């Protein structure tokens, strides 16, 4: 009985054909996309470059070490540190220096 085989082939072909557009993006990819979108939503109009952050980072660390509310006083630095791994590393280094100095 070849008829059954033909039906099965047709069915298999149908399964392989492109799905509807919203199924094209795999779940993990759309999740990453959402994270990127969330990151973009968090960025404010004014953004600092790494150089600008480096320039005031020691000051920022000293203020934080004094217990000042740096996220209120220097929100842009805080915001940059939240997003930039390089500057966060630098911040941690400076922080450990400041803490060992006091
Ligand atoms: Zn940076």
């Amino acid at each position: 009985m070849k008829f059954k085989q033909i039906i099965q082939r047709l069915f298999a072909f149908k399964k392989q054909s492109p799905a509807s557009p919203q199924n094209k993006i795999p779940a993990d990819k759309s999740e990453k996309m959402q994270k990127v979108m969330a990151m973009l939503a968090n960025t404010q109009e004014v953004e600092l470059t790494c150089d600008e952050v480096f320039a005031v980072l020691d000051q920022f660390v000293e203020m934080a070490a004094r217990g000042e509310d740096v996220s209120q006083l220097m929100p842009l630095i805080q915001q940059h540190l939240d997003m930039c791994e390089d500057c966060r590393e630098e911040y941690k280094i400076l922080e450990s220096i400041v803490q060992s100095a006091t």
Side-chain angles (χ1 to χ4, degrees):
M1 280 285 152
K2 280 191 175 173
F3 185 70
K4 203 181 172 187
Q5 280 183 339
I6 290 164
I7 294 288
Q8 278 176 341
R9 271 187 198 176
L10 279 172
F11 188 66
F13 177 73
K14 212 177 175 187
K15 260 182 168 175
Q16 280 167 13
S17 68
S20 51
Q22 63 258 50
N23 288 337
K24 265 187 176 176
I25 304 166
D28 65 321
K29 242 187 186 175
S30 68
E31 201 177 290
K32 270 182 195 167
M33 198 66 179
Q34 279 178 359
K35 277 183 188 170
V36 171
M37 294 304 280
M39 244 172 75
L40 288 175
N42 283 334
T43 59
Q44 294 168 15
E45 275 183 44
V46 186
E47 275 188 64
L48 297 175
T49 64
C50 291
D51 284 343
E52 288 169 325
V53 171
F54 276 127
V56 292
L57 199 56
D58 56 339
Q59 205 185 324
F60 183 87
V61 171
E62 277 176 25
M63 283 166 75
R66 281 201 299 264
E68 294 189 45
D69 196 354
V70 283
S71 60
Q72 283 290 315
L73 293 164
M74 292 178 160
L76 289 174
I77 307 288
Q78 184 65 60
Q79 180 206 335
H80 186 98
L81 288 174
D82 287 342
M83 295 188 305
C84 180
E85 211 169 306
D86 289 342
C87 290
R88 204 157 56 227
E89 279 298 309
E90 193 70 18
Y91 172 79
K92 278 178 193 167
I93 293 164
L94 283 170
E95 190 183 42
S96 65
I97 292 169
V98 167
Q99 280 174 352
S100 66
T102 49

